Amino acid sequence: MDELDIDAVAEAALDDPVLVEGLPGVGHVGKLAVDHLLEELDGESTLVRRVYSHEFPPQVSIEGGVSELTCVEIYAISPEEGRDLLLLTGDHQAQTNEGHYVLTSAFLDIAEEFGASEVFALGGVPTGELIDEYAVVGAVSDESMLGELEEAGVEFREDEPAGGIVGVSGLLLGLGERRGFEAACLMGETSGYLVDPKSARAVLEVLENVLDIELDYETLDERADEMEGVIGKIQEMEQQQQMDVPTDDDLRYIG
């Protein structure tokens, strides 16, 4: 296999599609969001490209006993309402700086091939603590994009996220801008400790508004309920540990 292999699985005629990226990251927010889009629009999606690379971990996934070499997949969707989509999903990102550049360039090549000129990278921004209200923080490749996204509820904060945006999501903005794409990154606030379906829903609600699509959230809400149970158990364990900490009275010597 070459350093980068792209399998043309199928072709699709799309009308001015938008590339939407959701690879693993903080809280798995982007991946959860794109996988939910695929689940909701399953009857309308077509797998069009698989991207293989030496930059992915040396492993295969197993389903029903059958192996599949690690890759990233791109699906084409023409929903009955709203914008046509190219959805990029996978279980891994590149393992080196160079690999991030190589793969992001390949993703933009594929987007151009299908006529896309807009990109949305989806991800999470860590708060370091459990939260109840989920804001969506944004970054764009061009100032002209700010107004529409602000109207859709996206917050643009000074110097946030701290340290910038790394990985494919950041490079889709940086390299995308240099190649003439309008690119935006939508980041749902998340604790950063656990997989966060609620943050993914917050990001998807913004996309619904911007792309004129309509989604059902039943399965995502079910996952959120499961995570709430996990969080509850973690909080109970923390409270128990605090109760078990010995006090000064407990440490007195009795002879």
Side-chain angles (χ1 to χ4, degrees):
M1 188 183 85
D2 293 334
E3 183 179 2
L4 182 71
D5 274 357
I6 300 176
D7 282 0
V9 181
E11 299 302 329
L14 300 177
D15 180 20
D16 190 25
V18 179
L19 174 67
V20 182
E21 172 265 327
L23 294 176
V26 179
H28 263 44
V29 174
K31 179 168 173 56
L32 281 173
V34 168
D35 284 353
H36 188 72
L37 280 169
L38 278 171
E39 181 180 326
E40 285 296 300
L41 304 172
D42 179 58
E44 304 166 83
S45 66
T46 302
L47 174 62
V48 291
R49 296 291 184 272
R50 285 194 179 99
V51 180
Y52 299 91
S53 173
H54 291 176
E55 287 296 329
F56 294 136
Q59 68 185 70
V60 297
S61 60
I62 305 296
E63 184 172 346
V66 179
S67 67
E68 170 63 39
L69 183 62
T70 294
C71 66
V72 163
E73 296 181 329
I74 298 177
Y75 292 80
I77 298 179
S78 295
E80 292 183 4
E81 296 184 2
R83 297 284 300 276
D84 284 0
L85 305 172
L86 283 170
L87 300 183
L88 190 162
T89 184
D91 293 326
H92 302 281
Q93 292 209 34
Q95 299 182 97
T96 68
N97 293 339
E98 181 183 2
H100 282 299
Y101 278 89
V102 170
L103 284 167
T104 302
S105 295
F107 300 151
L108 291 171
D109 287 344
I110 294 169
E112 284 184 340
E113 185 182 345
F114 283 93
S117 59
E118 293 180 59
V119 176
F120 281 95
L122 310 184
V125 58
T127 64
E129 59 185 7
L130 298 175
I131 54 178
D132 294 319
E133 299 294 329
Y134 289 81
V136 176
V137 180
V140 295
S141 62
D142 190 273
E143 189 176 353
S144 63
M145 303 175 67
L146 293 173
E148 180 184 10
L149 292 176
E150 285 177 329
E151 289 180 5
V154 179
E155 298 182 12
F156 294 92
R157 302 172 181 172
E158 190 71 24
D159 300 324
E160 191 171 340
I165 306 169
V166 299
V168 169
S169 291
L171 289 180
L172 283 171
L173 270 69
L175 295 181
E177 187 273 334
R178 292 180 64 84
R179 293 176 56 166
F181 285 86
E182 290 189 346
C185 185
L186 305 179
M187 297 161 282
E189 286 190 322
T190 177
S191 68
Y193 302 137
L194 301 166
V195 174
D196 200 335
K198 286 188 175 181
S199 182
R201 174 167 180 163
V203 169
L204 284 171
E205 287 174 345
V206 170
L207 270 188
E208 273 191 289
N209 190 321
V210 175
L211 302 181
D212 296 322
I213 57 177
E214 188 172 338
L215 301 172
D216 181 87
Y217 292 102
E218 182 177 356
T219 58
L220 200 57
D221 289 342
E222 289 174 356
R223 295 196 65 175
D225 289 341
E226 292 173 3
M227 292 308 301
E228 286 292 323
V230 172
I231 292 170
K233 291 179 180 178
I234 292 173
Q235 291 173 329
E236 287 178 11
M237 291 172 62
E238 290 176 343
Q239 291 171 358
Q240 185 62 47
Q241 288 174 349
Q242 292 173 359
M243 293 173 61
D244 290 342
V245 173
T247 64
D248 290 341
D249 289 339
D250 295 326
L251 295 175
R252 287 180 303 174
Y253 174 74
I254 299 177

